[in-house]
Amino acid sequence: MTKTVVVFRSLTDLIYLLNILLQFRLAYVAPESRVVGAGKLVDHPKKIAWHYVRGWFFIDLFVVLPLPQVSDSFSV
């Protein structure tokens, strides 16, 4: 049972990791342009990456850390 849970948790972590990688490429609407009503789409890769790193990146990184898998391997 433990191995099954670890496999499913690892699979979810993999999917979430792919989501993190995707976030580095997804365009976003610039917050300063939302005031006017018609937002400006930012599609420059470096600006997208910097926006993500300043925002949710570290929270997402913490979520995807394999802490349960590591602690389970030491307890077996």
Side-chain angles (χ1 to χ4, degrees):
M1 180 70 174
T2 305
K3 289 182 181 183
T4 307
V5 171
V6 170
V7 167
F8 280 124
R9 168 69 194 213
S10 299
L11 207 68
T12 347
D13 285 346
L14 177 67
I15 292 169
Y16 204 82
L17 182 63
L18 291 175
N19 180 39
I20 289 174
L21 295 175
L22 185 63
Q23 291 296 322
F24 279 107
R25 299 297 297 170
L26 287 177
Y28 67 96
V29 176
E32 61 273 1
S33 69
R34 289 186 209 154
V35 177
V36 181
K40 179 185 173 198
L41 190 65
V42 178
D43 60 352
H44 191 269
K46 287 185 181 180
K47 288 182 181 179
I48 294 170
W50 184 242
H51 179 261
Y52 181 54
V53 167
R54 287 185 302 160
W56 291 94
F57 174 70
F58 291 106
I59 295 170
D60 289 345
L61 188 64
F62 178 74
V63 169
V64 82
L65 288 176
L67 297 178
Q69 291 92 320
V70 172
S71 66
D72 284 344
S73 66
F74 285 122
S75 65
V76 174

